[in-house]
Amino acid sequence: MNIYKYVALISTIFLAVVFQPTFFARLSLPGATPDLVIVMVCCWAVTKGPEVGAIAGFLAGFLIDVAPPGAHLMGVASIILALIGYAIGIVGGGPSRSFTRPLVISGVGATTFFLFRTISGVFVGNDISLYNFSINFLTQGIYAAALAVFVYPGITFLDKKLGPVSRSDELRMQ
Amino acid sequence: MRDSTRLRTVLAVLLLISLTLVALELRSSGAGFTKSIRTISFNIISPFQKSARSFTDSVQNFGSTWREIRTAREKVKDLETENLDLKEKLANTDENRRRAAELDALLKIAGLGTYEIVPARVIAIGAGQDYSWTVSIDVGSKDGITADMSVISGSGLVGRTISVAESTTLVALLADPSSKVGARIGGKSELGFISGNGLPGELEFEIFDPLAEIKEGDRIVTWGSEGGSPFVSGVPIGEVISVKSAPGLLTKTAKVKPYVKLSTLDLVSVVVEAPRIDPRDSLLPPMPFTPTPTPAITVSPTPSPSQN
């Protein structure tokens, strides 16, 4: 990871946080709202491994918590997302030519995050029916995989474009 | 080996920072350090969200135009270009007309209730992902908005402002689980509380008097807080869709469908000054059924003999 890649990481996640409530929340698709932010984190983690995954997750969680219209407890989303990014980096990171893997991983990551948010939602006094939950859970996974179709190539492209893979990067992937 | 130590250190540092944030927020309960982080981020991120919002608008306009191009292709080739041009204009006027109608409704409700309002557009919607229902709107402290003001739309109560930055304001909607509004049944004086449970089309109404009469179709208005903050009085909230009561309970509860469609908000307004006189039920929409017509009494200045 050179400095350009960190700039790319920060700006892609910032863009995702900006477009999440202004674009995707407006689409009013059936079921859940597509979660571009978590897909971004998953794709970075798959491309660059657990360390970058954790950093991306932390950053995304922090921005989700502080950006309007977020009003939840600050710091919770960054804990959850940093752990998800880290876990995805460990399980799914590393060089691979498979294209379906990032899609599946994004779906799994998004549903995991959704699960955590639902649990915290129940804690603050939400009335969530099982039917609603299962619909949102399923659509969340499907939308995330669909978004990853576009996001993953973009991030691998950025990664290739912004400098050669250094020796330490290769090592870190192991 | 060196790498995995480094990896663990990075993760530990990140988690530590997050936990510190949580601890700070819990300790100061939304004030102090975390509050200033929020204010700064609001001021930085809102301009980006505003431009993203207008980008979204143009994408949606483009989408509708594109759909129209496809239908036009089936028509005669010569008319194609002309059609396209006209329909593009039409798509835009439709949007404008809708917005004008919304503004009209807003003005009407504000005029009837003699509220002083500041109109605003919704720029970002909390995705409902974590079942918290908040939106941000494009007016802020420079427009005279403060926390705990009522937010209304053309058809009724939307929510209240919870935090204000220079040019954006965060609004907690009625459906948010933290939302609790003092309300009464229109036409009666039975009091209760409307609270959200994370679902946009369904609110909970808790009536204090277990013997109070309430039935489906009853309409609920705000009863108003002291000094009109956070809620001004007499704003329509919604209609009762089902009543739930059990013997032995201290209160009666009912499900209420809000008049405002909370999941698709666009134009709203913030009530900056409460009315001097409580509008009571005058803002409720007309009853769906028409009452039996009463014979009209015509008074003519010169009665003719045939009318006696």
Side-chain angles (χ1 to χ4, degrees):
Chain A
M1 285 292 274
N2 55 27
I3 185 80
Y4 300 110
K5 287 187 188 176
Y6 275 110
V7 171
L9 172 78
I10 292 171
S11 31
T12 46
I13 287 181
F14 184 80
L15 272 182
V17 171
V18 166
F19 273 92
Q20 183 63 41
T22 48
F23 183 71
F24 290 101
R26 259 174 194 286
L27 287 180
S28 45
L29 294 171
T33 310
D35 200 333
L36 180 60
V37 183
I38 180 83
V39 172
M40 213 55 113
V41 172
C42 291
C43 289
W44 275 105
V46 170
T47 323
K48 303 299 291 177
E51 186 185 327
V52 176
I55 293 172
F58 169 78
L59 204 69
F62 178 74
L63 284 176
I64 287 177
D65 281 343
V66 299
H72 19 254
L73 194 61
M74 203 182 283
V76 176
S78 46
I79 294 177
I80 298 170
L81 279 177
L83 287 175
I84 290 179
Y86 177 78
I88 283 173
I90 296 270
V91 177
S96 149
R97 297 284 156 264
S98 157
F99 190 71
T100 46
R101 199 172 63 169
L103 311 193
V104 173
I105 284 173
S106 297
V108 172
T111 46
T112 314
F113 187 44
F114 175 71
L115 203 65
F116 275 112
R117 286 185 141 189
T118 309
I119 293 167
S120 60
V122 169
F123 270 117
V124 296
N126 278 291
D127 191 359
I128 300 156
S129 71
L130 191 65
Y131 172 76
N132 260 348
F133 171 76
S134 35
I135 292 283
N136 283 358
F137 188 84
L138 276 178
T139 45
Q140 186 76 71
I142 294 165
Y143 290 149
L147 276 177
V149 174
F150 303 100
V151 174
Y152 183 67
I155 285 175
T156 44
F157 172 78
L158 275 180
D159 185 40
K160 283 210 189 83
K161 204 79 188 163
L162 296 171
V165 181
S166 66
R167 182 85 191 102
S168 69
D169 273 2
E170 288 285 329
L171 277 176
R172 211 161 288 151
M173 286 299 192
Q174 306 302 313
Chain B
M1 210 48 232
R2 192 190 62 85
D3 254 19
S4 73
T5 329
R6 180 192 148 108
L7 188 56
R8 256 173 265 151
T9 320
V10 168
L11 188 66
V13 167
L14 294 179
L15 291 184
L16 214 63
I17 299 173
S18 311
L19 283 173
T20 316
L21 283 176
V22 173
L24 276 173
E25 177 119 311
L26 282 178
R27 208 180 120 195
S28 56
S29 62
F33 181 63
T34 51
K35 163 108 181 164
S36 49
I37 294 184
R38 275 227 160 97
T39 314
I40 293 168
S41 79
F42 272 32
N43 286 333
I44 295 174
I45 297 174
S46 297
F48 285 99
Q49 284 187 334
K50 269 181 207 168
S51 38
R53 170 72 218 263
S54 47
F55 172 76
T56 309
D57 278 356
S58 50
V59 167
Q60 279 170 343
N61 276 345
F62 177 77
S64 58
T65 319
W66 188 69
R67 239 171 283 136
E68 275 151 18
I69 293 172
R70 283 185 22 165
T71 52
R73 201 167 277 166
E74 290 155 20
K75 296 177 183 171
V76 194
K77 278 263 181 206
D78 300 345
L79 288 172
E80 201 176 51
T81 44
E82 198 188 336
N83 253 343
L84 212 160
D85 209 50
L86 285 171
K87 289 209 167 163
E88 195 172 346
K89 270 183 202 149
L90 197 71
N92 285 333
T93 45
D94 270 356
E95 175 69 7
N96 289 341
R97 205 171 290 152
R98 186 187 62 76
R99 206 157 281 160
E102 258 180 70
L103 261 178
D104 272 354
L106 268 180
L107 280 177
K108 190 174 159 227
I109 210 166
L112 273 175
T114 60
Y115 302 123
E116 203 166 298
I117 58 164
V118 174
R121 277 192 86 186
V122 172
I123 49 175
I125 304 175
Q129 222 74 279
D130 48 355
Y131 301 92
S132 84
W133 287 84
T134 47
V135 297
S136 56
I137 53 177
D138 63 353
V139 293
S141 54
K142 70 173 176 0
D143 306 286
I145 312 291
T146 58
D148 281 339
M149 282 179 166
S150 312
V151 180
I152 60 177
S153 83
S155 38
L157 188 67
V158 171
R160 68 185 173 93
T161 60
I162 48 177
S163 70
V164 184
E166 201 190 319
S167 62
T168 40
T169 304
L170 209 58
V171 177
L173 304 182
L174 285 174
D176 194 84
S178 70
S179 149
K180 213 161 190 125
V181 188
R184 61 184 176 76
I185 305 169
K188 302 173 192 165
S189 300
E190 294 295 349
L191 298 180
F193 270 120
I194 288 271
S195 47
N197 51 9
L199 304 171
E202 202 179 276
L203 308 170
E204 197 109 344
F205 184 43
E206 206 175 298
I207 310 141
F208 297 148
D209 182 0
L211 301 173
E213 255 180 61
I214 180 165
K215 57 181 188 309
E216 270 174 51
D218 270 351
R219 292 157 325 150
I220 313 293
V221 296
T222 57
W223 103 51
S225 331
E226 174 149 17
S229 164
F231 292 107
V232 290
S233 54
V235 183
I237 299 177
E239 228 173 68
V240 174
I241 46 173
S242 71
V243 183
K244 186 170 62 181
S245 79
L249 277 185
L250 282 178
T251 52
K252 218 177 201 179
T253 56
K255 293 240 178 290
V256 171
K257 186 181 186 311
Y259 286 127
V260 180
K261 205 170 171 226
L262 295 171
S263 48
T264 55
L265 281 174
D266 189 15
L267 267 177
V268 296
S269 57
V270 185
V271 179
V272 287
E273 200 173 310
R276 271 178 289 276
I277 308 156
D278 185 350
R280 302 291 294 180
D281 300 335
S282 58
L283 302 184
L284 279 171
M287 279 296 224
F289 57 88
T290 45
T292 46
T294 47
I297 303 156
T298 43
V299 181
S300 45
T302 49
S304 56
S306 63
Q307 264 184 332
N308 288 330

